[in-house]
Amino acid sequence: MSPEATVSVSPMLEMRGISKRYGRVQANDAVDLEVSEGQVLGLLGENGSGKSTLMKVLFGMVKPDRGTIQFKGELLARHSPREAISTGIGMIHQHFMLVEAMTVLENIMLGWSRAGAWLRREQIGELIRQTSLSYGLELDPAALVGELPFGQRQRVEIIKALVRGAELLILDEPTSNLSPPEISSLLTVMRRIADQGRAIIFITHKLGEVFDVCDEVVVLRDGRVVGKSLIANATRSGLAHLMVGRDVSTELNRVDRRPGAEVLVMRGVGMRDSSGRERLHDIDLSLREGEIVALAGVDGNGQTDLVDVLAGLKYPTRGTITVSGRDLTRATITDRLANGVAYIPVDRATTSLVPGMTIEENLGLRDFDQPPFRRGFWLNHRAFRKQAEARISEFRIAASGPDAPVQTLSGGNQQKVVIAREIGRNPKVLIAFQATWGLDPGATRFVVDQIMALRSHGGAVLYISSELDEVLMLGDRIGVIADGCLLGLAPRNQVDITKIGLMMAGHRELSGLT
Amino acid sequence: MSASLPTPPEIDRSDQADQSEIPSRVVARNEDADFWRRMLLALLAVSLSFVVAAVPILLSGKNPLLAYWALIRGAFGSVDSIAFALNKSTPYILAGVGVALCFRARVINIGGEGQIAVGGIAASWIALNAPGLPGSVLIPLALLGGGCAGAAWAAIAAGMRLVRGVHEVLGTLLLNFVGLLLVSEVLHGPMGEVGAGFPQSPLFPEQAWLPTLLPGTDLHAGILLALLAVVLCHLVFWHTPFGFRLRLLGSSDAAAAYAGVSVVRSLLSVMLIAGGLAGLAGAVEVLGVHYRLIQGFSGGFGFNAVAIALLASLNPIAVLPAGLFFGFLETGALAMQREIGVPSSLVFVIQGLAMIFVLCALGISLRRQRI
């Protein structure tokens, strides 16, 4: 932990002058990186800063153009991921590489020669139990992975890497899908792993976590190392500045305005899926003009069902949904659009955008069947073009023109297309689901600003996200969605963050607590 | 929303510099500018298939250059051969453009074979059972009947998919066999010609024959229908809300649903269109070429239609050259066999190779595009 300790040890990993170019993009430019035994190194950077490329180079998934890697004093070159694992490097990807239909034990044995030609279930099971015990990672080897919650699956990945002898663990954005209690337990485990003489590279863009667990932090921007510091000498604002290359003002311009009339009203909305499981439980919610209701929650707790029911992609089995007094419970998407309900889904690649279509077509994606985009039997290409030109300049979409395919845009500009379409229609109600997902801080800020602007113009917004920070920043009223229930909705000045964390982890425990 | 909104500082400058140049090079409108590049690739791939197919010709001790010369002369050497090749291309183009629309919407309709067969039956039945009607009524009626029958045949598969969740690959494939056997059935039963040694129907009355375009040749009016179908499908696909729906559906179900597109309605309509075009192809074949229904009249058309649609990389307008390529190739092959002694089945090798090379070339070009 102390600065002296980390400096004196000769580094376990030394990456020198790593460069990698993809076409015209210099993903890594002469990057140096050192990690020592017992150290947790934070690798900080925006999306596209070159973190993932660097780690792929280290793990042998990508060949660098230049540079050398020394691991435990030996040179690593032209290695495959399999060789990386056998020399003691373990990588835990953001998206788990687990077979859901198999047990924990089977997943860990999978593709591992030590599991034996005839599988040695007993011994390996015992090994798993011991390892999990020594790191405080309770795990049942016989459990089916498909039935485990997200945090537990991550433990499977960690144990898988540990029992294979990983001395250097790479964790790629490990906290992005966890609830606050799960995050803090993960950070504890990471600390314990490092204290036993292993090393960890922790990839993240969340500053708070860096300060909680790291010994040292390296900041990447545009493929270059722009900062390197012991955590004791770092400051939050300093790191943030390094990451984006400018000051990100954290102040929101929240115009003080009294919420107006009720716009969106949900009464006792419940939904059962085709297998008969209750996905939503009697949700009551009223949303007023110029108000943002923000809901936090860990992914998979009914958020998708809630937004689908509101957007008209699914229909509730009980209850009613009205917008400005008009019953839209079973209205079609087109009806909802006509009644001022806009929707920003989480998934750009397959839902809110068609990557192969042009910007102008994507901007008209939800209105192509209405005038002026439809003229009689034909599409009115000129109307598409006209709208696109206006939106591109109004929302500052960086593109070569309205006829550029959306797939050629950066993630931030893609989301601007979605924002331009949904907010540009000046909706009465905006349903935004993880609207900043996968965006860098600059683009995130743009989305947040646009939502705040809609609020000042009297729009009502339901913002749903698993990023607690964002929910706290945006919401006029803040609540939690857990297990399909809407919990603890309260005005922003009366919010208890601890309570929210507990509710996110599961409301049943909470009702036991209070 | 106005310009007075807080303007966000741009931070991904380097990204933009890189990306703003790419689109102009890759595509202007989604397809139009890219079209010629793809056509060039397809031509190269086709040429390559001829080069490779020269190997078996050499192995059989024949000169490939002579063989190909015979093939070219056989295909283009006379007005008759051109007429013959155009007639051969007609059903390919009609059925192929329907398949292209379906595949574009990710509806995998491989039931052209059965839809053509059923279309032929219906057109034949009308031609045989409406004596006394003048040609100007009878021919459109028979064509319409063929189209409707094909559409109905496709609708069965669509219905199975929508109501019972049977995938359309399965439904259309199996209905092919039923359709083909139905031709046998009616020819051995109610529609068969009494006393003929071959399962065929009686000759249609002359007013039911499709008019020929060039006097003295076999070229019938079907090719005009094929042209019209290609142009209409192109316009519908790129310039109407319906085509927009198909493109959305082809992209992802989630995007289609989000845009308010009814998957049920779109799937049903595109199947009906493709089935109708295939049925029309069957009708054109019996009314324009054979003047009667004969067993096996649709031999392989439906499957070739799939190949042609893929060769055209599912672009409706490109189905025209792809269909013509197949038609002329098969016509020339007969001459090649006659004159050089290279078996005409070699063209199946060329067709197969052309398909493989085109798919590879387009696959590579797509991958290049994405970067």
Side-chain angles (χ1 to χ4, degrees), chain A residues 24-25 46 222 246 253 313 333-334 343 345 350-352 354 356-358 360-361 365-366 368-369 374 377-379 381 384 394-396 398 400 403-405 407-410 413 416 421-423 426 440 442 446 449-450 453-454 457, chain B residues 1-30 235-236 238-242 244-245 247-248 251-261 265 369-371:
Chain A
R24 259 170 294 191
V25 181
E46 294 187 276
D222 297 336
R246 61 183 169 78
N253 63 359
L313 291 163
I333 299 228
T334 319
Y343 171 36
T350 63
T351 308
S352 61
V354 177
M357 282 188 170
T358 60
E360 58 190 15
E361 286 168 335
L365 197 68
R366 305 232 282 161
F368 68 93
D369 215 1
R374 173 192 194 130
F377 184 69
W378 302 103
L379 286 177
H381 292 297
F384 277 88
E394 188 181 337
F395 287 86
R396 303 172 159 268
S400 63
D403 55 357
Q407 64 194 355
T408 62
L409 303 182
S410 66
N413 278 303
K416 281 186 183 179
R421 184 182 60 220
E422 298 304 315
I423 293 188
N426 231 330
D440 57 47
F446 177 84
D449 284 344
Q450 291 296 334
L454 177 66
H457 284 72
Chain B
M1 299 298 94
S2 69
S4 65
L5 296 183
T7 55
E10 286 298 338
I11 55 131
D12 40 353
R13 266 163 278 106
S14 60
D15 268 3
Q16 284 160 25
D18 276 314
Q19 274 155 359
S20 56
E21 286 169 39
I22 298 169
S24 58
R25 190 172 54 85
V26 178
V27 209
R29 255 195 65 66
N30 261 5
L235 288 177
V236 162
W238 292 110
H239 300 285
T240 68
F242 175 68
F244 201 90
R245 273 192 207 105
R247 293 167 62 199
L248 281 174
S251 163
S252 86
D253 284 349
Y258 174 64
V261 171
R265 261 201 354 231
Q369 213 178 74
R370 231 174 276 140
I371 293 169

Side-chain angles (χ1 to χ4, degrees), chain A residues 33 64 99 101 123 128 150-152 155 189 246 260 285 328 331 336 365 375 424 457 484 495 511:
Chain A
L33 194 77
V99 183
Q123 284 120 301
I128 293 171
F150 225 74
Q152 296 267 317
R155 293 180 169 190
V189 168
R246 61 183 169 78
L285 176 70
L328 293 183
R336 282 172 214 245
L365 197 68
R375 209 169 42 197
H457 284 72
V495 161
S511 44

Side-chain angles (χ1 to χ4, degrees), chain A residues 70-337:
Chain A
Q70 236 181 6
F71 182 62
K72 293 189 295 182
E74 279 174 46
L75 214 57
L76 265 184
R78 312 190 66 80
H79 57 297
S80 67
R82 183 174 280 266
E83 285 159 350
I85 292 171
S86 68
T87 53
I89 299 173
M91 180 147 177
I92 286 135
H93 299 268
Q94 199 174 357
H95 304 285
F96 301 148
M97 314 281 174
L98 295 172
V99 183
E100 295 195 0
M102 287 187 174
T103 62
V104 170
L105 173 65
E106 285 162 341
N107 265 287
I108 288 173
M109 291 193 298
L110 198 63
W112 188 28
S113 53
R114 266 193 61 198
W118 294 102
L119 297 175
R120 296 180 297 181
R121 289 170 181 277
E122 296 301 313
Q123 284 120 301
I124 303 291
E126 192 45 44
L127 183 64
I128 293 171
R129 257 184 294 272
Q130 277 171 12
T131 315
S132 50
L133 223 64
S134 66
Y135 291 101
L137 292 157
E138 293 97 67
L139 201 57
D140 173 15
L144 263 185
V145 164
E147 288 167 3
L148 294 179
F150 225 74
Q152 296 267 317
R153 294 188 198 193
Q154 192 171 48
R155 293 180 169 190
V156 180
E157 288 275 26
I158 294 175
I159 288 180
K160 194 167 137 187
L162 288 176
V163 296
R164 286 169 200 222
E167 286 163 68
L168 172 65
L169 267 183
I170 307 166
L171 295 166
D172 186 4
E173 307 259 353
T175 59
S176 49
N177 289 307
L178 301 184
S179 69
E182 282 176 316
I183 291 176
S184 69
S185 96
L186 172 69
L187 298 185
T188 315
V189 168
M190 283 167 62
R191 198 61 256 169
R192 202 177 294 184
I193 291 172
D195 289 345
Q196 297 202 353
R198 307 186 199 232
I200 289 179
I201 299 179
F202 175 36
I203 304 176
T204 184
H205 59 247
K206 295 183 190 166
L207 288 170
E209 293 165 3
V210 170
F211 284 94
D212 284 344
V213 73
C214 295
D215 303 305
E216 195 178 355
V217 59
V218 167
V219 184
L220 282 182
R221 172 158 42 95
D222 297 336
R224 276 185 292 271
V225 175
V226 291
K228 184 180 170 194
S229 155
L230 292 175
I231 212 70
N233 308 331
T235 64
R236 253 182 115 98
S237 60
L239 289 181
H241 183 90
L242 282 174
M243 218 160 100
V244 262
R246 61 183 169 78
D247 287 309
V248 186
S249 60
T250 40
E251 276 305 302
L252 270 188
N253 63 359
R254 177 181 292 274
V255 182
D256 252 339
R257 80 191 307 287
R258 201 164 273 287
E262 278 188 339
V263 188
L264 173 76
V265 180
M266 302 178 77
R267 290 235 181 287
V269 171
M271 200 193 73
R272 206 177 297 130
D273 64 16
S274 52
S275 65
R277 239 185 82 202
E278 290 284 335
R279 305 300 293 258
L280 295 175
H281 299 272
D282 301 317
I283 290 186
D284 290 305
L285 176 70
S286 92
L287 198 55
R288 287 168 297 173
E289 281 174 4
E291 180 190 45
I292 300 177
V293 168
L295 302 182
V298 179
D299 282 346
N301 272 279
Q303 291 96 328
T304 315
D305 302 292
L306 177 61
V307 292
D308 281 354
V309 156
L310 287 170
L313 291 163
K314 287 181 196 151
Y315 295 120
T317 28
R318 292 183 305 280
T320 57
I321 300 167
T322 57
V323 171
S324 303
R326 188 186 289 260
D327 188 346
L328 293 183
T329 314
R330 306 199 68 80
T332 61
I333 299 228
T334 319
D335 285 346
R336 282 172 214 245
L337 281 169

